[in-house]
Amino acid sequence: MSKKFSVPRGAADILPAEMSLWQDIQDTARQIFRDYNYHEIQTPVFEETELFARSMGKTSDVVQKQMLNLQSQTKSDAADIHGSELSLRPEGTASVVRAYIENGLDRKEAISKFFYMGPMFRGERPQKGRLRQFHQIGAEIIGPEAVHPYLDAEIIAVNIALLHAFGVQDFRLKINTLGSIEDKENLSKTLRKLLSPKMSDLCPDCQQRFKHNVFRILDCKNKACAEIVHGLQINDSYLSDESRAHFATVKEALEGLKIKYDVCHDLVRGLDYYTHTVFEITGSSLGSQDAVSAGGRYNHLVSQLGGPEIPAIGFALGIERTILAMGESRELRVIPPDAFIIALDEKSFKKAFQILSILRDMDIASDMSYRVSSMKSQMRLADKVGARSVIIMGESELEKEFVSLKDMETGHQEEVTIKNNDYAVLVDKLRERQQ
Ligand code: HAM
């Protein structure tokens, strides 16, 4: 027997019944982004590995442990023409910033507002809510004038508007500020001071993190580390007056929008590029992987990637986790055709196939049974696909140039003329019933 293949670990098929939900999510997102005047951008699913290392940080878990690098058969193909290694993208921000700089968008707009959706790839250990191929919907505001703290509130507001529109009810918004680069440096010193007496109780990973990136200890899932972090008395003494004022205005704007938030001083996020506001939205039904979405400011990433000094802020939500958080409110269905044609003999079958093509050309979603069997069994099939109307073609219909049209909702059946191959009446009737 030949080998059977399975979907790769950590990836998933999205079958048609689920696909309609995904489409609803994506359509809804596009509508919300339209309301907020954000424009869609699409970047490749792979980029130079170095782009991610330089943006997310060489010591971030994603870059250290989760990058999926591309390999090729021949040495010359393995590296790109620039001689650089390529990786599947673990997130969208770095690519959007790369595209922003490459296309000189800072010279065109004072503030650019982008959104994107698509697959991201991280070589993580799969579990509920954690995949190797997952999908994000994200947004980024980038521009010379993208400094106003009300933009921080705007990006959080659009994130929350999306969750509301998807029917996610039960979530919590956590916010914090890391301050400027100097403040961040102060925070890192404070954390080292608080943690150094507890070094030996930290997990081996965190002992490394202590040296290279102490912020990451705050994200550690190890129980002992989490307890230590919980006991730290972190306050906002590391912040400059300016950073404190920025954060106060963000909170004021959120209150103005009636968005509830919790300030969590231990929220630092696992990626290097953040400064000032960071946030995370968690769903209560999600278990250990409870972040539905997350984001923050990254005022120096554009310059770190070779562009001018330009501020920015963004977020991304995970579609798979959003679907988990939607719980019972999610609706799975295969979108039914408008019409289903039943042919009762071989001659009618040929005519039915012609009618099918005409209806499809007229944007009436239709299908037919490709097996000339009894009326009863074809009706059963029509019922199964959920068609609103059934068109029946038999000997007498063919001879007298009409079709029998049955409304599956009301049970009403009528004869509709198709004399001289004129399908206008039939099309009109089917159109009236389109949802
Ligand atoms: P992130 O926190 O790494 O941030 O990911 C954002 C969201 O993507 C998470 O909250 C989660 O819903 C989803 N996600 C991440 N990893 C996985 C996974 N392995 N399986 C399933 N879902 C996952 C970023 O990616 C930043 N680029 C967000 C951002 C945009 N910051 C500024 N702009």
Side-chain angles (χ1 to χ4, degrees):
M1 222 168 62
S2 44
K3 173 187 153 98
K4 269 197 196 153
F5 294 94
S6 324
V7 70
R9 212 163 106 75
D13 298 315
I14 306 162
L15 297 179
E18 229 183 321
M19 209 52 226
S20 62
L21 174 65
W22 280 69
Q23 267 161 10
D24 286 349
I25 288 176
Q26 287 167 347
D27 292 349
T28 305
R30 286 200 169 89
Q31 181 55 48
I32 302 262
F33 282 126
R34 170 85 205 96
D35 295 343
Y36 279 76
N37 196 33
Y38 285 57
H39 299 283
E40 188 158 4
I41 183 168
Q42 196 165 319
T43 58
V45 294
F46 59 85
E47 299 269 0
E48 281 184 47
T49 310
E50 179 64 16
L51 173 72
F52 301 118
R54 245 209 275 166
S55 51
M56 305 172 88
K58 281 197 169 57
T59 61
S60 66
D61 278 0
V62 176
V63 170
Q64 277 203 332
K65 299 184 192 160
Q66 300 165 0
M67 293 294 276
L68 294 173
N69 300 326
L70 297 186
Q71 240 185 14
S72 225
Q73 300 287 11
T74 62
K75 226 178 169 176
S76 59
D77 287 346
D80 159 51
I81 322 159
H82 313 284
S84 28
E85 274 180 29
L86 301 171
S87 298
L88 290 175
R89 62 179 182 194
E91 58 123 42
T93 310
S95 307
V96 173
V97 172
R98 197 257 317 126
Y100 179 86
I101 299 168
E102 195 172 345
N103 293 286
L105 296 182
D106 59 300
R107 296 191 296 275
K108 298 189 181 132
E109 290 169 323
I111 296 182
S112 303
K113 295 181 179 179
F114 305 101
F115 75 92
Y116 51 89
M117 25 186 117
M120 307 291 160
F121 307 86
R122 296 184 191 177
E124 303 204 66
R125 201 163 40 80
Q127 64 180 79
K128 185 184 167 204
R130 189 161 76 188
L131 293 145
R132 289 183 175 159
Q133 176 175 332
F134 58 98
H135 298 75
Q136 282 186 346
I137 296 178
E140 315 289 347
I141 306 176
I142 313 175
E145 287 177 24
V147 274
H148 203 289
Y150 272 44
L151 287 170
D152 306 38
E154 174 178 309
I155 206 89
I156 293 174
V158 66
N159 188 345
I160 286 184
L162 286 171
L163 294 176
H164 280 313
F166 299 152
V168 179
Q169 311 286 355
D170 212 6
F171 57 81
R172 175 178 173 216
L173 166 66
K174 297 193 270 185
I175 61 171
N176 191 20
T177 178
L178 303 173
S180 62
I181 294 219
E182 296 76 39
D183 300 341
K184 236 178 126 174
E185 197 40 52
N186 283 337
L187 173 60
S188 127
K189 277 189 200 139
T190 309
L191 287 174
R192 281 209 179 85
K193 208 155 82 195
L194 293 171
L195 285 165
S196 76
K198 303 177 173 40
M199 263 292 262
S200 54
D201 299 328
L202 294 172
C203 73
D205 268 357
C206 280
Q207 295 185 0
Q208 286 303 312
R209 290 174 182 139
F210 185 89
K211 285 188 216 144
H212 304 298
N213 196 329
V214 68
F215 291 125
R216 222 124 279 149
I217 298 177
L218 273 58
D219 286 330
C220 186
K221 297 280 182 257
N222 181 298
K223 237 183 171 172
C225 299
E227 260 169 38
I228 292 172
V229 166
H230 197 69
L232 298 178
Q233 298 292 320
I234 313 168
N235 56 31
D236 63 358
S237 56
Y238 57 91
L239 289 177
S240 66
D241 289 347
E242 223 182 333
S243 301
R244 201 165 288 146
H246 182 97
F247 195 48
T249 314
V250 175
K251 290 187 284 186
E252 166 201 285
L254 289 175
E255 280 149 28
L257 293 169
K258 305 217 164 6
I259 294 175
K260 286 203 191 92
Y261 61 83
D262 293 324
V263 176
C264 296
H265 289 302
D266 58 0
L267 176 72
V268 290
R269 308 271 302 120
L271 312 174
D272 268 5
Y273 50 60
Y274 293 114
T275 51
H276 294 282
T277 314
V278 285
F279 61 94
E280 203 167 86
I281 298 179
T282 55
S284 54
S285 58
L286 288 186
S288 69
Q289 303 299 314
D290 64 351
V292 178
S293 75
R297 251 193 193 277
Y298 49 95
N299 282 352
H300 305 289
L301 183 57
V302 180
S303 64
Q304 275 159 19
L305 295 179
E309 193 63 52
I310 279 177
I313 184 161
F315 80 93
L317 67 77
I319 299 186
E320 287 83 355
R321 287 192 199 169
T322 300
I323 291 174
L324 287 174
M326 284 162 77
E328 295 308 307
S329 73
R330 61 182 191 241
E331 191 194 347
L332 299 185
R333 67 194 162 99
V334 177
I335 298 165
D338 300 315
F340 191 84
I341 312 180
I342 287 176
L344 296 173
D345 56 69
E346 286 303 331
K347 243 173 146 180
S348 317
F349 180 86
K350 285 186 187 147
K351 184 73 180 173
F353 192 62
Q354 262 178 20
I355 298 177
L356 179 67
S357 155
I358 288 160
L359 295 183
R360 287 171 167 174
D361 283 348
M362 302 301 283
D363 284 335
I364 292 172
S366 4
D367 211 340
M368 66 184 280
S369 161
Y370 283 87
R371 192 151 156 230
V372 179
S373 55
S374 72
M375 174 83 138
K376 200 172 156 197
S377 75
Q378 292 195 64
M379 267 298 185
R380 218 180 291 132
L381 206 61
D383 205 37
K384 201 168 158 203
V385 298
R388 169 77 194 267
S389 303
V390 172
I391 296 164
I392 303 158
M393 290 283 314
E395 218 173 293
S396 87
E397 280 89 351
L398 203 59
E399 194 186 316
K400 295 185 194 136
E401 295 185 281
F402 73 92
V403 295
S404 299
L405 178 67
K406 181 166 181 175
D407 184 330
M408 298 293 272
E409 218 167 272
T410 61
H412 176 256
Q413 188 166 321
E414 61 187 314
E415 292 180 0
V416 180
T417 176
I418 51 166
K419 268 209 165 67
N420 305 319
N421 290 326
D422 180 354
Y423 299 97
V425 183
L426 178 63
V427 167
D428 280 351
K429 284 188 182 287
L430 291 171
R431 282 236 167 95
E432 272 167 30
R433 294 178 194 174
Q434 272 180 327
Q435 286 130 5

